[in-house]
Structure formats: structure tokens, C-alpha cells
Amino acid sequence: DSGVTQTPKHLITATGQRVTLRCSPRSGDLSVYWYQQSLDQGLQFLIQYYNGEERAKGNILERFSAQQFPDLHSELNLSSLELGDSALYFCASSASSGRASEQFFGPGTRLTVL
Amino acid sequence: AQSVTQPDIHITVSEGASLELRCNYSYGATPYLFWYVQSPGQGLQLLLKYFSGDTLVQGIKGFEAEFKRSQSSFNLRKPSVHWSDAAEYFCAGNSGYALNFGKGTSLLVTP
């Protein structure tokens, strides 16, 4: 158990819908990262927040957005969902930001878009 | 571009045999490199990391990795594989803020 929690574990929805994935980082960690894992793209970084502020952006679509709240939990919002958005979404957290930060991963949320 | 490459998509080894999973990196300066393992239906667990210093790093579960700058490699090794090691293994590098993952190597362990 990494100490990072993600809810829900599974999510099944239809195209065009909007969903929210939630992540609670390890106690004391200030950084939260979101990654997408799909069969064709592999593991891809989406976005990072550090202490409530956006720190870095990766291959995140404009239909996706995220935020980190004052209690440091984070939410990833996916809208106008397409079949290709079906994937495993991971949240990771670390104590600090930067290259040497050790990231701890949650169990993931499996999103299925029908 | 900064990246890591895992040349082997699948590896099959017999239980008790030694294991080496390959990872090649393309980074300037000092690369920050990691190996993660993902068991079926699970998240990623950090096995070991290399930042600087001793090029042979020890990790959890009996794994080790050797950083070789001359070969741009960071291969993962284990002297004797157990059936429970069957999983997906990912090499990753950190280019600034986020991890860049290789495509992964799926390890199958046969009796």
C-alpha cells in the first residue's frame, strides 16, 4: 500500500459524458501527478500540481482538466468523453517537486467509455 | 528528446533462473532513472532508483540495477526469479517534473 488513494476504482460511462476522478496523496506529500495508461500509448504524464498550483503539463487534452485543493487532494475532470479515453488513470504523489522526487502511485481508476 | 527505451516487450524465464531486463536512456547531463513494477490490477511500485554515485543500486525484492553511462543503459537484474515476480516492469527517467516511461517489459515465469 503506497498510501495514495484513488476513487472510484472502476468507472463505466458513455461517450459525451463527463467524469471526475479523485486522488488523495500520501500524508505530507505536496505534489500530485496524473498519468494515463493505455495499450497504444503506454504510460503518459498528464499534469502535475504542487501545493495547489499547476506545475507542469504533459500530453493532456483540452477536454481534460485538473485541480488540487487546499487539503491537497486532487481531481481530474474528463469531459466530452470519447471511446479512446478508455484507459487506466493513475495518480502519484511525492513530497517535493523536481527530478529526484520519488513518486508513489495509487491503484488507479479504470475508465471504460462505451 | 529525453526518453527511455525498453527493447524487450516480453521475457520468459524459468523459476530460479537469473533475470536481466534492458533499459536504454537518452538524457543529457545526469539522468534520474527508476524501475517500477506493476502486478496485474495493481498500481506501480518503485523497485529502485539511480540519481548519482555508485552505479550499482540495490532495490527491494532482491532486484538490482547497474547504470552504465558508456552504454546509456540501466538494466535491471535479479539472480534468481520467483513465480511472484511475474509482472510488468517499467523503466523511467525524470526529465524535469514528470516520469517518462518506457513501454514496459512483461515478465512471464515458468515452473
Side-chain angles (χ1 to χ4, degrees), chain B residues 37-45 61 84-90:
Chain B
V37 61
Q38 183 180 22
S39 298
Q42 303 294 317
L44 288 89
Q45 182 181 23
K61 303 185 178 188
S84 61
D85 293 323
E88 189 89 12
Y89 291 80
F90 293 93

Side-chain angles (χ1 to χ4, degrees), chain B residues 21-44:
Chain B
L21 301 181
R22 296 185 291 165
C23 173
N24 297 111
Y25 67 88
S26 173
Y27 281 84
T30 303
Y32 287 64
L33 299 168
F34 307 80
W35 273 100
Y36 281 84
V37 61
Q38 183 180 22
S39 298
Q42 303 294 317
L44 288 89

Side-chain angles (χ1 to χ4, degrees), chain B residues 17-96:
Chain B
S18 64
L19 169 70
E20 183 168 28
L21 301 181
R22 296 185 291 165
C23 173
N24 297 111
Y25 67 88
S26 173
Y27 281 84
T30 303
Y32 287 64
L33 299 168
F34 307 80
W35 273 100
Y36 281 84
V37 61
Q38 183 180 22
S39 298
Q42 303 294 317
L44 288 89
Q45 182 181 23
L46 179 66
L47 288 175
L48 47 78
K49 56 185 183 284
Y50 173 79
F51 296 159
S52 64
D54 193 348
T55 57
L56 186 63
V57 293
Q58 301 298 319
I60 62 171
K61 303 185 178 188
F63 286 93
E64 65 178 27
E66 187 169 13
F67 173 74
K68 292 185 178 180
R69 187 181 294 277
S70 61
Q71 298 178 18
S72 297
S73 69
F74 186 57
N75 294 348
L76 183 70
R77 302 194 296 242
K78 187 169 185 179
S80 178
V81 169
H82 187 262
W83 63 266
S84 61
D85 293 323
E88 189 89 12
Y89 291 80
F90 293 93
C91 181
N94 195 319
S95 59

Side-chain angles (χ1 to χ4, degrees), chain A residues 33 35 37 99-100 102-103, chain B residues 30 36 38 49 51 97 99:
Chain A
Y33 309 77
Y35 292 86
Q37 184 179 35
R99 298 172 64 195
E102 184 173 327
Q103 296 182 27
Chain B
T30 303
Y36 281 84
Q38 183 180 22
K49 56 185 183 284
F51 296 159
Y97 299 106
L99 294 169

